[in-house]
Every structure is written in structure tokens, then in C-alpha cells.
Amino acid sequence: MTQSFYSHIREAWKDPDDGKLAELQWQRQQDWRDQGAIERIDRPTRLDRARSLGYKAKQGVVVARVSVRKGSARKKRFKAGRRSKRQGVTRITRRKDIQRVAEERCARKYPNLRVLNSYWVGEDGRQKWHEVILVDPEHPAIQNDDDLNWICDDTHENRALRGLTSAGQRNRGLRSKGKGTEHTRPSVSSGQSRGK
């Protein structure tokens, strides 16, 4: 049975450090490093992934590439009053993952658009790049689209900042149910932050 065009792309992205894609990524990242932190792009880098997450090549749908620096929290060293072990400088990580931070920054950059979803496109030693799919809820093409018009409802305003996207729900611990997840619903903060 013949493979579809999208399945060939999916196969290549299973191991982006191997084959022709690795060389292509190496060239791309040199250009990406010179660009801004949030860059609007004409078309998705991973078309198969974008389509599976709801992207359509139509008016009202925008894709932006966002870079976020990697690593744990940058904390200042205390001047006095603690021994070295209790300084609390290294190995302190943020509770939000980098993909969620990327979505939130993109949502603030484009306040008239709503974040539909996002996906990973690359990383180097210093930063990670994600592509964020944004939708214009006021655009007639979106309002008349049966697959996308749910996002036009007012309940989805600032959905990235409220952790309602797929990456946001995963980061809040809402992917699993039952035993061991008693403190994640209705929210992590309502469970005295014991859910994570």
C-alpha cells in the first residue's frame, strides 16, 4: 500500500537528527537564531503535525515560531545567612514547561488571536523552538468553519494564559485520572499546590 505525503513527513520527523532532515535543520537553525523571539511564518515547518492539531491553510489561521531559552531557573546567589548546600540556586526548575511559556508569550504578542495548539520544531544547546497555531475568532472564514468555530466562543478567550490548550492541560496534570491525581482537579492551586 502506498504511503501518503504526510506519512513520509511524519517518518522523517521521528528522528530529526538523522538523514537529510538533520542537515536541513542545521541550516534552518542558523537562520532562526538571527530572527526575533516570536516570528510569524507563512507556512508550518511540520505540515503533518500542524494539520493533525487543527491547522488549515485559510484566512484567519496564523502560524508563529517562538523561541524560549532552555534550562532551569536563573536565581541570584544569597549574600549571607546560608551554608552552600542551602543556597537554593541550582537545580530549581519552573512549574511551567517551555512549550506552555511559548504559547503564553505568543498570545500576549497577538492579543486579537487565540492559540489553537503548538508543536516542537527544534532545539539547540541554548533554546527551544515551537510553532504556535493561532486563530482569529472575528474572521468570517473561521466563524463559518464547522471544525474551528468553537474557538470563537467567549469561553475560549485567553485560553493559553489560562492553561486550556493541550500543552497547558498536560502541564497542569489533567491528562491522567484516578488514584494519585486527587489534587489536580479542579486546579493545582485549589489542591494547595500538591497536585504536581
Side-chain angles (χ1 to χ4, degrees):
M1 191 172 153
T2 56
Q3 276 189 309
S4 68
F5 169 67
Y6 294 108
S7 62
H8 283 292
I9 302 175
R10 199 175 302 115
E11 282 293 321
W13 275 97
K14 279 183 179 176
D15 189 5
D17 297 328
D18 184 44
K20 291 182 178 178
L21 184 59
E23 188 179 339
L24 187 60
Q25 282 288 91
W26 183 75
Q27 292 169 347
R28 279 173 178 159
Q29 288 178 10
Q30 292 182 59
D31 298 329
W32 293 353
R33 287 185 196 103
D34 295 334
Q35 294 173 354
I38 302 173
E39 201 77 18
R40 183 172 170 173
I41 55 177
D42 295 330
R43 60 185 67 86
T45 307
R46 296 174 62 182
L47 185 58
D48 66 310
R49 188 76 183 116
R51 286 286 300 269
S52 68
L53 293 174
Y55 169 81
K56 290 186 178 184
K58 65 189 300 180
Q59 290 182 325
V61 180
V62 174
V63 181
R65 186 172 46 248
V66 186
S67 73
V68 181
R69 66 115 187 95
K70 288 164 69 173
S72 55
R74 271 63 167 168
K75 291 208 72 179
K76 283 191 175 180
R77 203 170 161 83
F78 288 104
K79 295 285 188 218
R82 289 158 186 80
R83 62 191 170 115
S84 305
K85 187 178 179 181
R86 299 284 175 237
Q87 285 275 347
V89 176
T90 59
R91 298 178 188 168
I92 292 178
T93 55
R94 302 297 187 197
R95 284 192 163 184
K96 284 182 187 174
D97 62 9
I98 288 177
Q99 185 172 355
R100 190 173 169 191
V101 171
E103 288 182 352
E104 290 181 5
R105 288 182 183 176
C106 205
R108 288 191 178 97
K109 169 92 171 179
Y110 302 104
N112 62 317
L113 305 178
R114 292 180 185 169
V115 174
L116 178 64
N117 234 316
S118 65
Y119 53 93
W120 177 93
V121 284
E123 63 184 279
D124 61 9
R126 198 182 65 179
Q127 58 199 328
K128 282 188 180 182
W129 288 277
H130 289 89
E131 284 182 4
V132 182
I133 305 166
L134 302 135
V135 176
D136 184 0
E138 302 297 327
H139 201 289
I142 301 300
Q143 292 174 347
N144 296 325
D145 190 313
D146 291 338
D147 296 325
L148 293 174
N149 61 7
W150 57 268
I151 207 167
C152 300
D153 195 272
D154 288 342
T155 56
H156 294 287
E157 197 170 347
N158 291 327
R159 59 194 305 267
L161 302 171
R162 292 156 56 210
L164 300 183
T165 59
S166 180
Q169 289 180 339
R170 183 186 65 225
N171 188 228
R172 290 163 57 206
L174 299 178
R175 286 279 171 89
S176 50
K177 295 180 179 180
K179 188 177 178 182
T181 62
E182 291 85 356
H183 301 298
T184 57
R185 287 181 180 83
S187 67
V188 173
S189 59
S190 69
Q192 278 78 48
S193 298
R194 289 176 293 180
K196 286 175 69 182

